[in-house]
Amino acid sequence: MTTTHEQGNDDSAAPPTPVFESMAVWFDRWFSVTVARRLSGTAGRGRVFCPQWWRHDEVVGRLRDLWLAWEKAKASDDRGAGSAWWLHDADPTLRVLLDAEAGPMYQCTRDNHVETRPLQATLVAPPPGWFDGLD
């Protein structure tokens, strides 16, 4: 009988060292200098990216996940992983982030940050018992 360790499938092996130590460094040194898109500069029209993007929790969360996926693609032995990252991760994320009509920075312009309200700020709480029996 062969153990997992003898087969070379040691699950305790350390994960690969990331190329960038954090999402912020990746954004500053790779993403923001690599990605080029036409921005309208106008809230609610075309594409927008807030100069204070880091003040938008959704943007930070999506960019963190995008960075983690980028690191995984870079560490992969699959030579097509980089292309898959662009197609399946970066492109859809950029469509959401840069959407000046409905994206998380929709009220901002290229020169001005405007605080956006999360969904919770617009919701009415359901009556007690509304979801009883659903779980």
Side-chain angles (χ1 to χ4, degrees):
M1 181 173 171
T2 310
T3 65
T4 303
H5 181 70
E6 291 170 348
Q7 293 174 349
N9 296 331
D10 185 3
D11 290 336
S12 65
T17 302
V19 176
F20 295 100
E21 69 250 23
S22 69
M23 181 276 295
V25 173
W26 170 78
F27 181 87
D28 186 53
R29 294 187 188 161
W30 190 85
F31 189 78
S32 69
V33 298
T34 302
V35 173
R37 296 293 187 278
R38 180 180 184 184
L39 301 175
S40 66
T42 306
R45 303 181 135 220
R47 294 185 188 113
V48 68
F49 200 84
C50 181
Q52 295 181 38
W53 61 270
W54 40 267
R55 294 182 71 185
H56 297 270
D57 292 341
E58 180 181 351
V59 173
V60 171
R62 285 177 179 270
L63 286 173
R64 180 184 176 277
D65 292 344
L66 195 60
W67 165 63
L68 292 172
W70 184 90
E71 290 285 354
K72 184 176 180 180
K74 279 293 189 190
S76 175
D77 291 335
D78 179 357
R79 294 175 66 180
S83 177
W85 178 83
W86 281 106
L87 292 172
H88 301 293
D89 297 301
D91 290 345
T93 299
L94 284 166
R95 276 192 293 276
V96 171
L97 291 182
L98 301 178
D99 185 343
E101 290 185 39
M105 299 177 277
Y106 74 98
Q107 294 184 86
C108 301
T109 67
R110 75 173 66 193
D111 301 315
N112 188 38
H113 165 74
V114 176
E115 197 67 34
T116 52
R117 294 171 33 173
L119 289 178
Q120 184 182 28
T122 64
L123 301 178
V124 175
W130 189 262
F131 297 111
D132 288 355
L134 293 180
D135 34 353

